Amino acid sequence: NAGVMQNPRHLVRRRGQEARLRCSPMKGHSHVYWYRQLPEEGLKFMVYLQKENIIDESGMPKERFSAEFPKEGPSILRIQQVVRGDSAAYFCASSLTRSNEQFFGPGTRLTVL
Amino acid sequence: QQQVKQSPQSLIVQKGGIPIINCAYENTAFDYFPWYQQFPGKGPALLIAIRPDVSEKKEGRFTISFNKSAKQFSLHIMDSQPGDSATYFCAATSNTGKLIFGQGTTLQVKP
């Protein structure tokens, strides 16, 4: 039973480029969450999605960031025109239902040069 | 009101000691309190969780104590081992799906 999968594990982008982070939830899980962890800080909620729907995006920056979870395929977190402050570890988690345990993937470490 | 405050920021204990990490919250709507363990370069791993209808939950060497009236909960690690050295995060949620995390505690267990 594979866990939450994220790719790429490491991503390097230059300022102004786009970053695409992918997340495949655990088998059977239809709830996906994205969190960001800045260096030496805790995890901050970004967005909560259920298949084809954004349930809560209260933690997403208003500009440049978007997320989707299509009917088929992985969830995608997209960051347009990256800036140095976007450098962080981005974690995806999934759960069976909204109130169930969230299981985290290994993360994507984004470095913006 | 959405914050979860965690202390201490770092902790050093000898092997066999019992480190205790504390968390406090304000939002009385929170109804699920998990603890996560994170090793460097890895994702957080769910360790143990509690709901407010019980005051204590034990799984192996890990115990959560929960004080609903004080809005506090804590993690105890019995017979700690060097392999327990990691960063520990408490969290809380209110069935919204959004986990609110504490700031984390870096634990070092010396041999």
Side-chain angles (χ1 to χ4, degrees), chain A residues 4-16:
Chain A
V4 178
M5 299 177 69
Q6 289 187 249
N7 65 80
R9 295 293 308 277
H10 299 273
L11 183 61
V12 179
R13 285 287 177 265
R14 296 193 179 279
R15 281 180 297 169

Side-chain angles (χ1 to χ4, degrees), chain A residues 4-6 21-35 45-57 67-70 73-77 91-98 100-105, chain B residues 96-99:
Chain A
V4 178
M5 299 177 69
Q6 289 187 249
L21 288 62
R22 287 177 290 276
C23 168
S24 295
M26 287 180 69
K27 187 176 181 180
H29 287 192
S30 61
H31 298 253
V32 166
Y33 316 82
W34 286 92
Y35 295 84
F45 169 82
M46 298 182 74
V47 62
Y48 164 29
L49 310 105
Q50 197 177 358
K51 281 290 185 181
E52 298 184 275
N53 292 306
I54 296 174
I55 307 301
D56 182 349
E57 56 182 348
E68 63 178 12
F69 188 16
S75 175
I76 306 287
L77 179 67
F91 291 98
C92 166
S94 74
S95 66
L96 192 60
T97 68
R98 179 189 296 227
N100 267 45
E101 298 92 336
Q102 293 185 23
F103 296 91
F104 281 76
Chain B
T96 62
K98 176 195 302 187
L99 281 174

Side-chain angles (χ1 to χ4, degrees), chain A residues 63-80:
Chain A
E63 297 178 348
R64 302 189 297 108
F65 285 72
S66 62
E68 63 178 12
F69 188 16
K71 188 176 180 181
E72 301 291 337
S75 175
I76 306 287
L77 179 67
R78 184 183 292 112
I79 311 172
Q80 296 178 303

Side-chain angles (χ1 to χ4, degrees), chain A residues 9 33 35 37 40-45 48 55-56 58 91 98-107 109, chain B residues 9 32 36 38-46 49 51 89 93 95-104:
Chain A
R9 295 293 308 277
Y33 316 82
Y35 295 84
Q37 186 174 36
E40 307 302 322
E41 289 190 17
L43 294 103
K44 303 293 185 188
F45 169 82
Y48 164 29
I55 307 301
D56 182 349
S58 59
F91 291 98
R98 179 189 296 227
S99 59
N100 267 45
E101 298 92 336
Q102 293 185 23
F103 296 91
F104 281 76
R109 280 148 186 86
Chain B
Q9 188 174 358
Y32 176 69
Y36 285 85
Q38 186 179 30
F39 293 103
K42 305 292 184 183
L46 181 62
R51 296 195 184 270
F89 293 96
T93 187
N95 198 32
T96 62
K98 176 195 302 187
L99 281 174
I100 307 299
F101 282 88
Q103 297 90 330

Side-chain angles (χ1 to χ4, degrees), chain B residues 65-110:
Chain B
S65 297
F66 188 86
N67 186 329
K68 189 174 180 178
S69 60
K71 290 184 284 187
Q72 295 175 348
F73 58 109
S74 58
L75 177 70
H76 302 231
I77 305 176
M78 307 300 176
D79 187 27
S80 59
Q81 301 296 312
D84 296 329
S85 297
T87 300
Y88 292 81
F89 293 96
C90 63
T93 187
S94 58
N95 198 32
T96 62
K98 176 195 302 187
L99 281 174
I100 307 299
F101 282 88
Q103 297 90 330
T105 296
T106 301
L107 171 66
Q108 182 183 357
V109 181
K110 291 190 170 183

